[in-house]
Amino acid sequence: MAAPPSHPFVYIDAAALHSLLPFPSLIPHLRAGLAHPELSAGIQCPQRVSLPLPTAPSAALLLMPSWCAHPSLPYLALKAVTSFPSNAPRLPSVHAAVSLFSSATGAPLASVEGSALTLLRTAAVSALAASLLASPSRPPAVLALAGAGALAPYLAEAHLAALPSISRVLVWNRTRSKSVALVARLRESHPGLAVEEVEAMDEAVAAADIVSCATGSREPIVRGELLRPGAHLDLVGSFTPAMRECDDEALRRGRVFIDFEAAMEEAGELVGAVQRGVLRRGDVAGTLAELAAGTVEGRRSDDEITVFKSVGTAVVDLLAAQLAYETHIAATKNA
């Protein structure tokens, strides 16, 4: 679905992104892109660059490029993220934008609001993994969410889109006011869905078929001994070796998958487990691209516990930006 060779430069804001990237479209688009052997092999994604900024305390600029020359993905994307911790609480501390170029000519094509794109594609990746690892004979019914921050409603919506068998959502957060607000939001948007706040994360873990974590925790909040047979654990929050959302027992009991190789160097759960001898690189069953392509085996039994750890890369930024841009161009032509 390559775009026309010439058209005006466009800006796609957050509101437009939510219209252009509904999860029933975004999730299968990511699956198709990651599963396509020539496409996924042709995507180049150099290591992200982090630059300290002297303009504010602890400020930083992160640059994440990716590009592909395949005819069905003829784009170069550059995601720029600014981190200004001193902004809080007046302003958001993180801002992002994605610039999209033609990989054939270098011509600028679009600027995409990066924070919304990141929320959408991150949730879509988690839901895609959960759908690929769910038991076909015992569809998941209970989703537990750890964390009620900006990403949490996206994770809920993405999982509900990918796994319509989910009929109950449990929400836990350290700050109760945020979990109460998320419960109210989900009840309003899904009147037929059972949505409950839980006081203890242990309670949610013990009851859930899918546990999705999006926190900044440095101490485990998921105890592996409580995971039900057949449960799926989705770990999103950690992105440095100092962060950790589950204990070693969860990794011992579960069959581990990762989104991309960077997770082995960035995710605290995995880095620490390798250092402690709990996990070896060879114990990781596969990546999301391998799962999507069917080149590695997913769930092997109804009772098997699966674990998916994502840290995110510019590869999915590129694929999500492609879908947003090409859908926008197609809608403009048909208007």
Side-chain angles (χ1 to χ4, degrees):
M1 119 174 165
S6 178
H7 36 75
F9 182 86
V10 298
Y11 173 65
I12 303 176
D13 63 17
L17 273 178
H18 286 87
S19 175
L20 295 167
L21 298 179
F23 287 119
S25 298
L26 179 57
I27 293 169
H29 177 73
L30 294 183
R31 179 176 185 174
L34 292 171
H36 193 301
E38 295 180 9
L39 196 63
S40 57
I43 297 176
Q44 301 299 312
C45 183
Q47 187 173 3
R48 69 189 77 184
V49 176
S50 179
L51 303 171
L53 297 175
T55 56
S58 302
L61 170 67
L62 285 76
L63 300 174
M64 289 165 270
S66 61
W67 62 86
C68 185
H70 193 277
S72 64
L73 188 61
Y75 302 108
L76 181 158
L78 176 63
K79 183 177 180 181
V81 180
T82 58
S83 175
F84 280 65
S86 60
N87 281 0
R90 300 175 298 110
L91 298 168
S93 57
V94 177
H95 296 273
V98 176
S99 297
L100 192 67
F101 303 83
S102 164
S103 60
T105 67
L109 302 174
S111 178
V112 182
E113 204 284 324
S115 296
L117 184 81
T118 301
L119 291 168
L120 287 162
R121 62 81 158 155
T122 301
V125 163
S126 285
L128 172 58
S131 68
L132 292 171
L133 292 169
S135 169
S137 59
R138 198 166 71 192
V142 182
L143 168 67
L145 297 174
L151 183 58
Y154 291 84
L155 285 168
E157 296 293 348
H159 281 87
L160 290 170
L163 296 163
S165 58
I166 293 173
S167 59
R168 184 181 178 209
V169 177
L170 308 176
V171 178
W172 175 85
N173 191 69
R174 285 196 174 97
T175 305
R176 187 166 181 265
S177 60
K178 290 186 176 182
S179 57
V180 169
L182 178 58
V183 167
R185 176 174 174 174
L186 292 175
R187 284 175 176 169
E188 181 178 0
S189 58
H190 299 275
L193 183 68
V195 186
E196 307 163 36
E197 180 199 8
V198 294
E199 294 184 359
M201 188 59 198
D202 283 358
E203 177 187 349
V205 173
D209 301 306
I210 298 176
V211 181
S212 183
C213 303
T215 73
S217 183
R218 290 172 173 261
E219 298 295 332
I221 56 175
V222 173
R223 292 199 293 149
E225 65 179 320
L226 298 177
L227 289 167
R228 298 174 59 180
H232 173 69
L233 176 59
D234 172 47
L235 303 169
V236 184
S238 73
F239 54 88
T240 73
M243 303 170 75
R244 190 179 177 202
E245 293 186 304
C246 75
D247 62 11
D248 288 343
E249 184 63 16
L251 302 180
R252 285 193 191 96
R253 294 187 66 202
R255 189 150 162 262
V256 179
F257 297 83
I258 56 178
D259 60 345
F260 298 98
E261 287 296 329
M264 297 304 300
E265 299 176 3
E266 298 177 5
E269 299 90 349
L270 304 184
V271 172
V274 170
Q275 291 173 346
R276 290 185 291 274
V278 174
L279 187 74
R280 299 170 299 172
R281 176 60 187 87
D283 295 329
V284 175
T287 66
L288 183 58
E290 291 169 332
L291 268 176
T295 56
V296 298
E297 187 178 11
R299 175 176 293 277
R300 297 175 298 188
S301 72
D302 286 344
D303 288 339
E304 184 174 56
I305 293 171
T306 55
V307 179
F308 178 69
K309 175 57 200 164
S310 63
V311 293
T313 74
V315 171
V316 283
D317 290 326
L318 178 63
L319 290 169
Q322 174 205 18
L323 180 61
Y325 176 67
E326 293 183 4
T327 304
H328 173 85
I329 293 300
T332 302
K333 286 181 63 179
N334 295 329

